Amino acid sequence: MSDYEISTDPDRLDPARVHHWLSTDAYWALGRSREKQDRAIAGSLNFGAYDGGSGEQVGYARVVTDHATFAWLCDVYIAPSVRGRGLGTALVTAVRERLEPCGLRRILLATHDAHGVYEKVGFQGLKDPEHWMALLLE
């Protein structure tokens, strides 16, 4: 992954690009407004993946966390032009490594189609899914 750099520097993020990716190409965020995406970025720990040569942003992930007990990994996206090169796995690995010193009890995520990517990093299905509930507001 020496061709790419992963950073949590908020000044490097391209919010317009992230919004475009998610609102037009990510099944979980289709139609998300720019205002909502900007609020999500502002309230999260953000990870950008950048081309090592050009510096162009080619991936994104964000984490909602209290940095003590819990984290939710979401909005993981890799640009179509660089998919299949292991960048998604590298990005999720960087998230895990950044959060490890926090001593979190768990990091959760939801996915319809990328189980293999997350399993490579150690994610697994919920042991007791019947213990979990959701309040769906949309």
Side-chain angles (χ1 to χ4, degrees):
M1 292 291 39
S2 60
D3 295 343
Y4 302 98
E5 180 185 356
I6 297 171
S7 172
T8 57
D9 180 353
D11 293 332
R12 292 189 68 185
L13 285 178
D14 183 341
R17 178 177 297 217
V18 170
H19 174 256
H20 176 74
W21 283 338
L22 297 178
S23 67
T24 65
D25 191 41
Y27 66 83
W28 65 90
L30 292 175
R32 184 182 289 170
S33 74
R34 174 66 191 268
E35 185 270 334
K36 184 174 274 194
Q37 184 61 50
D38 287 347
R39 282 191 294 132
I41 288 171
S44 301
L45 173 60
N46 300 280
F47 291 76
Y50 304 91
D51 180 282
S54 69
E56 176 185 10
Q57 187 171 350
V58 294
Y60 177 72
R62 71 182 181 91
V63 177
V64 181
T65 184
D66 61 8
H67 298 277
T69 63
F70 178 83
W72 175 265
L73 172 60
C74 51
D75 289 347
V76 178
Y77 186 91
I78 302 298
S81 63
V82 296
R83 289 181 187 161
R85 301 179 190 180
L87 185 54
T89 300
L91 183 58
V92 175
T93 298
V95 168
R96 184 192 66 204
E97 290 173 354
R98 168 61 175 74
L99 294 174
E100 280 176 345
C102 296
L104 303 175
R105 183 169 182 176
R106 65 180 49 93
I107 301 170
L108 291 180
L109 63 87
T111 185
H112 288 287
D113 59 357
H115 294 78
V117 171
Y118 299 107
E119 287 168 349
K120 290 177 189 175
V121 183
F123 283 87
Q124 54 189 296
L126 291 175
K127 182 178 176 186
D128 298 309
E130 66 276 5
H131 293 182
W132 293 87
M133 297 178 70
L135 176 61
L136 304 177
L137 301 173
E138 287 188 4

